[in-house]
Amino acid sequence: MKIAIIGAGKAGLCAGKHCLKENISFDIFEQTGNLGGTWFYTDLVGHDENGAPIHTSMYKGLRTNLPKELMTFEDFPYPKQIRSYLLQEEVLDYVRNYSKKFHINPHIKYFKRVIWIERQNFLWSVHYEDVKNKQKEMEHYDAVIICNGHYSDPFIPDIPGIESFSGKVKHSHDYRTPEPYANKKVLILGSGPSGLEISQQISNVATKVFISHRSKDALPVSDALYQKCLVKEFVENRAIFEDGTSEEIDDVVFCTGYNYNFPFLSKRCGVKITNNYVHPLYKQIISIENPTLAFIGIPFKACPCPLFDIQVRFVLASLTGHFKLPKKDVMLKELVEEEKRKPGPPSSQYHQLGGAQGSYFDNLAETAKIRKIPPVIQKLYLRVISNRNLNDCFKIIDDHNWVQIYCSGTGCK
């Protein structure tokens, strides 16, 4: 068996590590010259020096919104005595060391951008291009695992008047540093982790920052940071809000999330995206139409490394015959029943786990007869999302218990 893995971020490296453990041949296709996926920082936006689209959405000064204890691969802990909430470069170092430890790097095809994937008889044709010399090649694989992430194709809502807004408009995907917003009046749309952190960064240099959101929770404010409700429309250089108020704005930053996007997948692969809902997939992982095609990391509001780990093990368990997938009609029936349990028509919210993460992990383990994710991960996750404080420090004691510990400026005690 030979597997093509698309992307050398955390998910792709995790897939490679488990392929090595199972003695499965594989190649990881990476369009840049760096591993780490979205955790790799570059000042560039738009396209890189080789003309390839910039994949990463990383900005300077980013801190994780989950503690490292929830962002750790089970068999590769972070170094001891460091904070729980880390900076981007600390996570990237961890990812690089992970690849080095498990000898994954020799299997990565750097500067190779996948441009087309299609099923031919019982094999997958993976067409790719060298982003430097533009030479195109094709190889055949028995299975494909897609690990290209879902933080690279910006979603920008269609707000009346935005096309004629006289100021500058960008998505957080292209945000890098706050300096360009010095002495300006800036509107941030979205109060997710990126929206909150970017608004805080920009408020240190801007005249005023308005953060527009639908959340019922009060957000941190300061002398330069103000909360606003949703934007109704833009008129020249003013934002008109749903409560009838308006503000003069110089720049707008959309922190409104991303689209799932697999532009290299042939339609014949049988995977569709409707209202940002990826389907039909079994357990949000395996293509029901073509079960040797799998996606890692589609669910969100979850602990990334544990998620990648159990999803990869689920896929490899199916490919190696450790367990047998249900028949197509059975998988489709289960999917329909699951869709009915979600409120409203299927959308990207279908992929949100949140508090249901633990039961999702357990279901995968029980279905595939593989090792479970330790319950302590879900226990700590529920604590973190109920009271998120980036100064908190945690320590996992065993598979069932964690404790909160005192953190000094540089380490934990």
Side-chain angles (χ1 to χ4, degrees):
M1 185 188 301
K2 189 174 183 180
I3 296 177
I5 299 169
I6 315 302
K10 279 186 174 183
L13 296 173
C14 178
K17 182 258 184 184
H18 282 289
C19 281
L20 285 170
K21 187 176 182 179
E22 296 290 335
N23 199 28
I24 296 172
S25 178
F26 69 97
D27 291 320
I28 299 179
F29 291 88
E30 171 55 47
Q31 72 175 9
T32 73
N34 303 283
L35 57 77
T38 199
W39 290 101
F40 181 82
Y41 175 83
T42 175
D43 290 322
L44 298 175
V45 297
H47 292 80
D48 65 18
E49 60 275 7
N50 297 305
I54 295 292
H55 179 83
T56 180
S57 298
M58 191 57 55
Y59 50 87
K60 277 190 177 179
L62 180 140
R63 288 185 69 184
T64 61
N65 66 332
L66 288 176
K68 70 178 187 299
E69 291 74 20
L70 299 180
M71 299 178 63
T72 305
F73 289 114
E74 188 177 4
D75 52 357
F76 191 70
Y78 273 90
K80 295 180 179 179
Q81 304 301 319
I82 61 173
R83 305 170 314 281
S84 281
Y85 291 90
L86 306 182
L87 296 172
Q88 167 264 328
E89 53 265 33
E90 293 173 307
V91 179
L92 183 59
D93 282 345
Y94 173 83
V95 176
R96 287 169 170 166
N97 290 332
Y98 179 84
S99 183
K100 182 179 180 181
K101 166 72 174 180
F102 295 108
H103 310 289
I104 304 166
N105 205 59
H107 300 269
I108 303 175
K109 290 178 175 288
Y110 287 109
F111 298 111
K112 300 297 188 289
R113 182 170 68 93
V114 173
I115 54 179
W116 195 246
I117 296 176
E118 62 183 347
R119 183 78 181 271
Q120 291 184 333
N121 297 322
F122 295 102
L123 294 175
W124 291 94
S125 298
V126 177
H127 302 252
Y128 59 96
E129 176 187 65
D130 187 297
V131 299
K132 289 186 172 183
N133 60 28
K134 309 306 178 185
Q135 181 177 342
K136 294 179 173 62
E137 298 182 54
M138 186 272 287
E139 293 188 43
H140 287 114
Y141 294 87
D142 299 287
V144 175
I145 302 178
I146 296 178
C147 306
N148 69 329
H150 49 83
Y151 298 112
S152 61
D153 184 22
F155 167 71
I156 298 181
D158 185 15
I159 300 176
I162 188 62
E163 69 283 349
S164 57
F165 175 68
S166 58
K168 293 182 180 179
V169 178
K170 70 168 54 177
H171 190 276
S172 58
H173 176 64
D174 294 326
Y175 172 82
R176 294 296 182 264
T177 65
E179 284 74 21
Y181 301 96
N183 304 314
K184 292 186 176 183
K185 296 183 285 293
V186 184
L187 174 63
I188 308 289
L189 285 87
S191 62
S194 294
L196 292 177
E197 187 166 37
I198 289 173
S199 65
Q200 292 286 347
Q201 285 191 3
I202 292 178
S203 69
N204 292 325
V205 300
T207 303
K208 287 184 178 180
V209 175
F210 303 96
I211 181 165
S212 168
H213 64 98
R214 62 162 54 93
S215 174
K216 296 179 181 179
D217 299 328
L219 304 179
V221 295
S222 64
D223 292 340
L225 183 58
Y226 304 84
Q227 291 189 73
K228 301 294 290 187
C229 61
L230 295 180
V231 177
K232 180 181 178 182
E233 62 178 330
F234 290 93
V235 178
E236 296 181 344
N237 68 334
R238 299 192 72 85
I240 314 299
F241 299 92
E242 290 185 345
D243 62 2
T245 61
S246 67
E247 298 290 347
E248 185 179 297
I249 302 296
D250 295 311
D251 287 7
V252 174
V253 181
F254 282 93
C255 299
T256 44
Y258 295 84
N259 300 305
Y260 292 98
N261 191 17
F262 313 103
F264 45 77
L265 271 188
S266 165
K267 291 183 178 179
R268 295 169 59 190
C269 292
V271 176
K272 305 174 185 177
I273 303 175
T274 308
N275 296 326
N276 221 21
Y277 166 54
V278 186
H279 65 103
L281 300 181
Y282 182 59
K283 308 292 187 186
Q284 303 192 54
I285 305 173
I286 292 176
S287 166
I288 294 178
E289 297 294 335
N290 289 289
T292 51
L293 172 65
F295 299 77
I296 303 301
I298 285 182
F300 63 97
K301 289 196 175 179
C303 302
C305 292
L307 173 70
F308 303 155
D309 182 82
I310 196 165
Q311 286 191 323
V312 166
R313 290 190 287 115
F314 184 92
V315 171
L316 296 185
S318 72
L319 293 175
T320 58
H322 181 74
F323 85 105
K324 188 175 182 180
L325 290 170
K327 293 182 179 179
K328 177 180 175 180
D329 60 336
V330 175
M331 290 191 286
L332 285 172
K333 182 180 179 181
E334 180 179 319
L335 179 62
V336 170
E337 291 174 350
E338 179 65 27
E339 289 172 350
K340 289 178 179 178
R341 288 195 287 270
K342 303 271 185 174
S347 68
S348 62
Q349 298 308 305
Y350 176 88
H351 299 302
Q352 178 176 310
L353 292 181
Q357 171 189 247
S359 58
Y360 175 75
F361 287 167
D362 288 346
N363 180 264
L364 292 184
E366 291 162 3
T367 301
K369 301 178 178 61
I370 55 178
R371 185 179 71 260
K372 289 188 174 184
I373 296 295
V376 68
I377 298 298
Q378 178 67 0
K379 291 179 180 179
L380 179 54
Y381 179 74
L382 292 175
R383 156 61 179 83
V384 168
I385 63 175
S386 68
N387 182 18
R388 199 186 309 265
N389 183 336
L390 301 189
N391 293 317
D392 286 343
C393 283
F394 306 98
K395 182 179 181 180
I396 289 179
I397 304 299
D398 53 38
D399 285 354
H400 298 271
N401 300 288
W402 60 271
V403 294
Q404 186 167 342
I405 55 180
Y406 167 71
C407 253
S408 62
T410 58
C412 299
K413 299 180 179 178

